Amino acid sequence: AYETDLAFLKRIAGEYGYAFSMRGKVMSFYKRTELKDAKSVVVITREDVESYRFRDKTNNIVKSATVAYHDPKTKKTHKHTAKGKSGKSSRSSADEHKVHVRAENPQQAKLKAEAAESRHNEDQTSAELSLIGSPVLMAGVAVVLSGFGKYDGKYTINKSRHSIGRG
């Protein structure tokens, strides 16, 4: 199947746990775990929000991810399993995700398994908020939500949309 250069870069970045962005002539790769661990830029309280919706899912949330690779020297198949932490929710699944990707060595298998486990579980708890815009609220930025009960905590913005209207 045909794959564009951008689709290829996005796929490879995702396999290794990176986010990929192309803005103008600048290509950027961000390690997803570093985006999640980044210091939050703002605290958003319930009073700041016009409307909100939270989603806490258990479907497609995995306990672990496994990547198998073949060692041509020993002619044996080896596996690497990455076990993650559950997200903001205390619920977790007992499912194991078997990742069907090529890995040439133990290091690649480990990186790809960890990225797959993290990718599967990163949207276990998600939120949609409507609030007065701010230029600092953009994709990749960490924020802290406060005043939302069990959903309080740190979130990474996946997508933001700013609109200007009269009135």
Side-chain angles (χ1 to χ4, degrees), residues 72-133:
K73 293 178 184 171
T74 63
K75 300 195 186 311
K76 291 185 179 179
T77 300
H78 302 282
K79 293 181 180 180
H80 182 79
T81 301
K83 295 183 180 180
K85 310 168 271 194
S86 61
K88 290 172 182 46
S89 171
S90 59
R91 294 185 304 241
S92 63
S93 168
D95 294 342
E96 176 183 355
H97 176 57
K98 293 187 180 169
V99 186
H100 301 286
V101 294
R102 180 174 296 186
E104 297 174 10
N105 56 49
Q107 183 183 15
Q108 275 189 1
K110 178 179 187 259
L111 290 170
K112 289 183 177 188
E114 289 171 352
E117 185 278 330
S118 178
R119 190 172 52 250
H120 259 276
N121 294 340
E122 72 184 357
D123 65 343
Q124 182 175 6
T125 302
S126 62
E128 277 186 35
L129 307 173
S130 287
L131 63 152
I132 293 177

Side-chain angles (χ1 to χ4, degrees), residues 3-167:
E3 184 176 37
T4 66
D5 292 344
L6 288 175
F8 169 76
L9 289 169
K10 184 176 180 180
R11 179 176 57 82
I12 295 298
E15 282 183 14
Y16 287 95
Y18 284 79
F20 168 72
S21 170
M22 184 83 179
R23 297 205 172 136
K25 294 182 179 183
V26 178
M27 230 186 305
S28 302
F29 292 87
Y30 304 96
K31 193 161 181 75
R32 287 184 173 278
T33 55
E34 290 176 7
L35 286 174
K36 289 179 192 172
D37 295 339
K39 185 178 178 186
S40 61
V41 297
V42 68
V43 175
I44 299 173
T45 65
R46 197 167 176 169
E47 292 79 27
D48 299 329
V49 176
E50 293 173 11
S51 66
Y52 62 91
R53 184 177 78 163
F54 288 93
R55 192 178 83 199
D56 196 9
K57 71 175 194 170
T58 55
N59 184 29
N60 277 337
I61 301 300
V62 297
K63 179 179 76 173
S64 62
T66 301
V67 171
Y69 66 96
H70 178 75
D71 186 343
K73 293 178 184 171
T74 63
K75 300 195 186 311
K76 291 185 179 179
T77 300
H78 302 282
K79 293 181 180 180
H80 182 79
T81 301
K83 295 183 180 180
K85 310 168 271 194
S86 61
K88 290 172 182 46
S89 171
S90 59
R91 294 185 304 241
S92 63
S93 168
D95 294 342
E96 176 183 355
H97 176 57
K98 293 187 180 169
V99 186
H100 301 286
V101 294
R102 180 174 296 186
E104 297 174 10
N105 56 49
Q107 183 183 15
Q108 275 189 1
K110 178 179 187 259
L111 290 170
K112 289 183 177 188
E114 289 171 352
E117 185 278 330
S118 178
R119 190 172 52 250
H120 259 276
N121 294 340
E122 72 184 357
D123 65 343
Q124 182 175 6
T125 302
S126 62
E128 277 186 35
L129 307 173
S130 287
L131 63 152
I132 293 177
S134 168
V136 299
L137 298 177
M138 59 186 166
V141 169
V143 297
V144 171
L145 299 184
S146 177
F148 296 94
K150 73 176 189 173
Y151 295 111
D152 284 1
K154 189 173 175 184
Y155 291 79
T156 303
I157 298 175
N158 289 335
K159 179 172 68 171
S160 67
R161 188 182 78 202
H162 298 263
S163 60
I164 299 173
R166 288 187 153 184

